[in-house]
Amino acid sequence: MEEFTGDGSSPSSSAAPPQRRLTVTQRDQIAVERNVFGILRSLVDASVQTQEIMLKLWRDKHIVFLTRGLKQLGPSFHVLDANRPWLCYWILHSLALLGESVDSEIENNVVDFLSRCQDSEGGYGGGPGQLPHLATTYAAVNSLITLGTERALSSINRHKIHSFLLRMKDLSGGFRMHDGGEIDVRACYTAISVASCLNILGRELVEDVGNYILSCQTYEGGIAGEPGSEAHGGYTFCGLATMVLIGEADKLDLPTLIVSRFLIYLNVGRNIGYNYLCLCVGLVVFRQGVEYGFQGRTNKLVDGCYSFWQGGALAVAQRLLSFVDEQLKSSFLEGKKVAKNNCSTSSPYMSEGDSDLDEHPCQFSDIGFYFLERESRWESLFHSSALQQYVLLCCQIWINTGSRGGFRDKPGKQRDHYHSCYCLSGLSLCQYSWPKNVNGPALPITLLGPYANLLEPVHPLHNLVLDKYYKVHEFFSKA
């Protein structure tokens, strides 16, 4: 029986197959790839001298762009009125990564401004008189730590911040972003990170945080913002960093988190655990895309800011591979999936005999300090040179475009302080990704471009320049 086509004709056996329509996401992805591959092709076709120029970090131009942002911003920035502590942090941290400090006038202005953002009941709002919020509290505290002077650090009212954090604590174990606000992994991270840096992290704040984050780990290994949501690179970093800071990272399903969220090179013959992982997945590439940058989640476009959010999670995971090995061995030898709640509840970063944290509440705050001493048995878990190439070529607003400094999300986007901060943070992680110790010097093999590209190292859990972190740890250890 002939098929009716609707126009009185019958279909021909030689008719061309229907053309497949592309989704908006697919069209956007093709456009991004075309732009990025064009830039990469120009690098390959260029002379050695031109390649050196293209891979240069335009340090002086970035400093000018960032410093200007601390003094005056245009009217278009009014939409960030509730995010002014974030602007302080993005700019100050970027300058610190570049090895630059601000003059005393700017420093005093920042301290005075953030003091006016500090609520009388604890915590920092997005501006003077605004509701205290965990995100802007994190940004304000990190800004003051980055300034690092006694005046800046002394301006932080730790006791009231502690009270604020306790008020934000929810019965679920998580935290609310503000009074009556949402509960998510981002809130957990900002609360725990701030408390750790200020040496006010005790059992009361830590209780059940790990269980809440475990409830957010999804089938694909990453961590969602809240239970039942899709895993996301930013939330995965926040969740993993929080679990490390409270000493419960070994409760996560680490093998699935690592191989499902990132690019990982698997060396056959290491041991039973790694051999088993190789048999299961081989070489897995999910979040580091063909452009060499990271995407935040499945079927999303590459974005320069994930150089830190995804790269930072990998820098942390790189020092947790002993737990990965244990979980894989257990899974292989017992023939069953590792249960998240069967791991040790004691902190893996403290010596034996120190597990009674109720008697030593400050020891939670020491976890971030001692984490820096953990050695990595592997090199970088992602293609760090390729990521640097993406950031320098595709995110940096460089000289041939009439550069005024700054970094962007991807080609075709505008520069901004947010992407400048996290692109530079990601570059720093790449440059220090191979040394066994976080404190170790950058190796020549890890640095793409001239030596002048070298940035200051960051603490992978807090995204603070290391010497700033050491100073605040010492300052509040005496308090």
Side-chain angles (χ1 to χ4, degrees):
M1 182 177 179
E2 285 189 344
E3 180 184 348
F4 179 67
T5 62
D7 60 0
S9 62
S10 59
S12 170
S13 59
S14 60
Q19 189 173 6
R20 184 170 65 92
R21 292 185 178 181
L22 298 176
T23 66
V24 173
T25 299
Q26 288 172 322
R27 289 198 297 269
D28 289 345
Q29 178 64 34
I30 291 171
V32 170
E33 289 180 16
R34 185 180 296 117
N35 284 338
V36 172
F37 294 164
I39 294 172
L40 297 180
R41 191 177 301 113
S42 66
L43 176 71
V44 173
D45 295 340
S47 65
V48 174
Q49 292 80 5
T50 302
Q51 288 179 350
E52 291 178 354
I53 294 173
M54 293 177 70
L55 293 173
K56 178 182 177 181
L57 177 68
W58 297 97
R59 184 182 298 265
D60 292 342
K61 293 182 179 294
H62 298 316
I63 291 172
V64 171
F65 166 67
L66 294 163
T67 304
R68 185 183 297 119
L70 281 176
K71 296 178 179 179
Q72 185 175 5
L73 294 171
S76 63
F77 284 88
H78 74 275
V79 296
L80 295 176
D81 179 66
N83 292 278
R84 283 181 279 174
W86 278 112
L87 286 165
C88 293
Y89 169 61
W90 297 332
I91 295 172
L92 290 171
H93 180 57
S94 297
L95 288 170
L97 285 167
L98 292 164
E100 188 74 5
S101 58
V102 296
D103 60 39
S104 58
E105 181 181 0
I106 291 179
E107 176 193 311
N108 289 330
N109 289 340
V110 171
V111 174
D112 290 341
F113 168 72
L114 292 176
S115 295
R116 295 197 303 275
C117 296
Q118 190 166 199
D119 189 79
S120 60
E121 298 301 318
Y124 291 80
Q130 294 186 21
L131 187 74
H133 193 285
L134 275 176
T136 47
T137 297
Y138 168 86
V141 168
N142 274 18
S143 297
L144 294 165
I145 290 172
T146 300
L147 288 176
T149 62
E150 184 169 355
R151 179 170 185 258
L153 298 178
S154 298
S155 71
I156 303 171
N157 192 323
R158 295 192 310 143
H159 299 295
K160 288 190 175 181
I161 285 182
H162 185 256
S163 298
F164 170 64
L165 297 180
L166 287 175
R167 292 203 311 275
M168 296 303 103
K169 181 78 172 175
D170 186 74
L171 293 176
S172 65
F175 287 84
R176 293 187 180 276
M177 292 302 301
H178 56 85
D179 284 325
E182 66 274 27
I183 304 167
D184 58 29
V185 170
R186 175 188 49 152
C188 295
Y189 169 69
T190 51
I192 296 300
S193 177
V194 164
S196 176
C197 288
L198 299 183
N199 193 26
I200 55 175
L201 185 58
R203 177 69 68 182
E204 200 171 6
L205 289 174
V206 167
E207 187 175 5
D208 287 333
V209 172
N211 291 333
Y212 178 81
I213 293 174
L214 284 175
S215 72
C216 298
Q217 187 170 23
T218 74
Y219 70 94
E220 59 179 327
I223 297 173
E226 56 188 14
S229 295
E230 181 184 10
H232 184 281
Y235 289 120
T236 298
F237 168 82
C238 289
L240 179 59
T242 302
M243 292 295 273
V244 171
L245 289 170
I246 65 174
E248 298 183 19
D250 55 337
K251 290 185 177 182
L252 289 166
D253 183 349
L254 291 170
T256 307
L257 184 150
I258 292 174
V259 300
S260 71
R261 301 301 295 172
F262 313 106
L263 177 151
I264 178 170
Y265 294 100
L266 303 169
N267 297 338
V268 178
R270 288 277 185 170
N271 49 46
I272 292 176
Y274 291 127
N275 282 338
Y276 176 65
L277 188 55
C278 289
L279 289 172
C280 291
V281 296
L283 177 67
V284 180
V285 183
F286 278 173
R287 299 288 78 80
Q288 190 170 18
V290 294
E291 309 92 341
Y292 300 141
F294 280 114
Q295 61 179 179
R297 51 194 170 102
T298 306
N299 292 329
K300 291 297 180 180
L301 301 178
V302 65
D303 187 332
C305 72
Y306 291 109
S307 303
F308 175 78
W309 296 122
Q310 300 281 35
L314 272 179
V316 173
Q318 193 172 334
R319 285 166 170 76
L320 299 176
L321 290 179
S322 59
F323 304 135
V324 175
D325 191 28
E326 291 171 9
Q327 291 183 0
L328 287 172
K329 281 182 179 179
S330 175
S331 180
F332 179 76
L333 295 174
E334 296 177 16
K336 59 182 180 181
K337 186 177 181 180
V338 178
K340 296 178 185 178
N341 58 358
N342 284 346
C343 301
S344 170
T345 58
S346 62
S347 169
Y349 314 114
M350 298 182 186
S351 59
E352 293 185 18
D354 286 344
S355 59
D356 189 1
L357 296 172
D358 289 320
E359 295 183 9
H360 308 281
C362 68
Q363 288 182 355
F364 275 118
S365 297
D366 289 336
I367 291 177
F369 180 83
Y370 290 116
F371 180 79
L372 296 173
E373 299 178 0
R374 289 184 62 84
E375 287 193 353
S376 171
R377 295 181 296 147
W378 276 20
E379 292 80 22
S380 177
L381 296 180
F382 61 98
H383 201 315
S384 60
S385 293
L387 181 58
Q388 290 177 75
Q389 182 175 273
Y390 174 76
V391 171
L392 290 170
L393 291 175
C394 301
C395 299
Q396 183 175 214
I397 308 297
W398 61 294
I399 195 167
N400 280 6
T401 60
S403 172
R404 293 168 294 162
F407 288 80
R408 60 189 175 184
D409 165 350
K410 61 177 68 68
K413 299 290 186 177
Q414 297 296 315
R415 62 179 181 165
D416 59 67
H417 301 99
Y418 169 83
H419 285 93
S420 296
C421 171
Y422 292 107
C423 283
L424 287 170
S425 298
L427 276 181
S428 175
L429 288 173
C430 290
Q431 293 170 355
Y432 296 90
S433 59
W434 281 34
K436 290 185 176 181
N437 192 292
V438 176
N439 295 295
L443 302 178
I445 193 174
T446 66
L447 180 64
L448 184 68
Y451 183 78
N453 283 6
L454 187 64
L455 299 169
E456 296 294 319
V458 297
H459 193 308
L461 296 173
H462 301 288
N463 200 17
L464 291 165
V465 168
L466 270 187
D467 65 348
K468 307 292 185 181
Y469 172 78
Y470 283 129
K471 185 169 184 177
V472 73
H473 184 269
E474 180 183 6
F475 186 88
F476 286 122
S477 291
K478 300 174 181 176

